[in-house]
Amino acid sequence: MNLDTLYQEVILDHYKNPLNKKLSPTFDAQVHHINPSCGDEITLNLTAVDGVITAITWDGVGCSISQASVSIASDLLVGKSFEQAEAISDDFVELMQSKGKKVGDEAVLEDAVALAGVSQYPARIKCALLGWMAIKDASIQAQTK
Ligand code: ZN
């Protein structure tokens, strides 16, 4: 199995069995983000305690890349401080802007490295970033609450 096939499997697995896809009844911030160019849509709830993200739940519709990416991010960024989450998100944005030149650090990005190939398709980058931007937005709102 080559890396591309493996990465396809990771993306499809998150798409079919998304993590944290059930909006929590309580939250510190709720955001709704859309990607009109593809039709992707997510609502995301974020909870934080003492500067640490304790829960990210979401609901949404859209392409496999957008839905898999928010599933991955919602799992990866829980338990991280706002600062750590921002640093990891910055790494992911950098990967998405690399035009296929970077592979991503799996120690930092975990399953998100499976999305590295998306950086070669400018039209899909917004799909991959949708969930991450929603988490960033929710983090800012939760911190200023
Ligand atoms: Zn999409």
Side-chain angles (χ1 to χ4, degrees):
M1 192 184 274
N2 68 31
L3 204 57
D4 281 348
T5 313
L6 179 71
Y7 281 177
Q8 285 293 340
E9 293 280 323
V10 172
I11 292 167
L12 273 179
D13 191 43
H14 275 280
Y15 181 56
K16 288 181 188 157
N17 306 297
L19 302 171
N20 308 304
K21 190 179 178 184
K22 187 179 189 299
L23 286 172
S24 57
T26 59
F27 48 84
D28 292 318
Q30 180 172 69
V31 296
H32 182 72
H33 278 218
I34 57 168
N35 173 22
S37 62
C38 180
D40 309 318
E41 208 168 317
I42 58 168
T43 302
L44 185 139
N45 288 351
L46 184 141
T47 307
V49 177
D50 298 333
V52 174
I53 300 170
T54 54
I56 300 170
T57 59
W58 61 280
D59 196 13
V61 290
C63 68
S64 57
I65 290 171
S66 69
Q67 305 298 297
S69 189
V70 64
S71 171
I72 290 167
S74 71
D75 186 48
L76 178 61
L77 301 179
V78 163
K80 306 288 195 294
S81 68
F82 285 125
E83 291 76 16
Q84 289 168 325
E86 196 180 335
I88 295 166
S89 293
D90 287 349
D91 270 15
F92 185 71
V93 171
E94 213 173 276
L95 178 63
M96 285 302 106
Q97 291 170 343
S98 73
K99 299 185 172 72
K101 291 195 183 72
K102 287 185 181 160
V103 293
D105 183 352
E106 199 172 355
V108 176
L109 294 172
E110 301 182 10
D111 277 0
V113 296
L115 293 156
V118 174
S119 71
Q120 296 173 63
Y121 306 96
R124 309 313 299 277
I125 294 171
K126 278 186 185 164
C127 302
L129 288 176
L130 183 67
W132 298 73
M133 293 302 114
I135 291 169
K136 191 171 194 173
D137 188 13
S139 297
I140 291 167
Q141 289 187 29
Q143 285 178 90
T144 54
K145 204 177 87 156

